[in-house]
Amino acid sequence: MMGPAHSLSGAMAWLGVGAAAAALDSPMPWQVLLAGALICAGAALAPDLDHKSATISRAFGPVSRLLAGLIDKLSETVYNATRGRRDRRRTGGHRTLTHTWIWAVMLGAGFSFAAVAWGRWAVLVTLFIHMVLAVEGLLWRMARVSSDVLVWMLGATSAWLLADFLDRPGNGSDWLFEGEPYLWIGLPIVLGSIVHTLGDAITVSGCPMFWPLSIAGRRWYPAGPPRFMRFRAGAWVESRVLMPAFMLIGAASGVGAVVLAA
């Protein structure tokens, strides 16, 4: 899928988690619901950091372009070092390492560890990164015609405001993990990455999300539904069916989360 659809699916997924949490008597404060939805929307772009032309690779200028090149080379190296007997050797690492669930969990765990270990400044950096990506994904038409500096300023302002709200007593900094502020912050990052892989799995190329499990002699098996159910990234089904569905389901989930938590 393309960036906007990935981001919408990420926001929808976290709002769905919010509704489920409220139904299970662990309601999220609205600050966590909002911050998590935006983080998840941004994180749903993150797996494409292995592609130099992806939204995330352009989002932070030379820094993200350099990182994209490094991640691409790392992904290619890991792929070729671990490929199964039926996996072909590759040049380029797109849709390999960063499109696995192991990577998703490691990424989320890393951000959670940083938030717990280094406190507010790590939280601000985490929020800034994902707010910029959320703007790029959810407001992509406006972001494309805006300067990078304006997008960064919006991301920084959003990060600061959200951190200020979350830090206030009872506003959710220690939601789910009492006594461990911001340990939860890795959860929407994991979820966003997983939702991205599921979105790519329903496209023509599939997604090797189950690596390193061997499937039909391939450790990088491009998992997905039957071929007739797949579509090309950017096709009409994405913009006319999936994106409206993500918005409707996300809105209903968000309302449900707030109502059940009241």
Side-chain angles (χ1 to χ4, degrees), residues 96 99-102 197-198 201 207-215 218-224:
T96 56
H99 287 67
T100 66
W101 290 0
I102 287 179
T197 64
L198 294 174
C207 189
M209 51 194 170
F210 299 124
W211 174 85
L213 296 178
S214 181
I215 302 174
R218 302 181 65 177
R219 292 195 182 279
W220 297 92
Y221 183 83

Side-chain angles (χ1 to χ4, degrees), residues 52-90:
K52 293 181 181 180
S53 299
T55 300
I56 184 174
S57 303
R58 304 190 307 267
F60 300 97
V63 173
S64 54
R65 285 195 290 272
L66 174 61
L67 186 57
L70 294 174
I71 294 295
D72 177 45
K73 183 56 66 175
L74 171 65
S75 299
E76 177 190 333
T77 301
V78 172
Y79 172 91
N80 286 324
T82 63
R83 64 194 178 97
R85 57 184 173 81
R86 295 188 61 192
D87 290 312
R88 297 180 179 178
R89 179 169 288 276
R90 287 185 54 162

Side-chain angles (χ1 to χ4, degrees), residues 191-207:
L191 182 61
S193 295
I194 288 176
V195 168
H196 180 109
T197 64
L198 294 174
D200 279 353
I202 60 176
T203 62
V204 172
S205 300
C207 189

Side-chain angles (χ1 to χ4, degrees), residues 124-158:
L124 285 171
V125 170
T126 300
L127 288 172
F128 169 70
I129 291 170
H130 291 91
M131 293 309 104
V132 169
L133 294 178
V135 170
E136 292 280 2
L138 297 174
L139 303 177
W140 66 283
R141 290 186 186 276
M142 288 179 278
R144 282 192 174 185
V145 299
S146 300
S147 69
D148 288 340
V149 174
L150 287 176
V151 175
W152 298 341
M153 289 176 63
L154 180 57
T157 303
S158 302

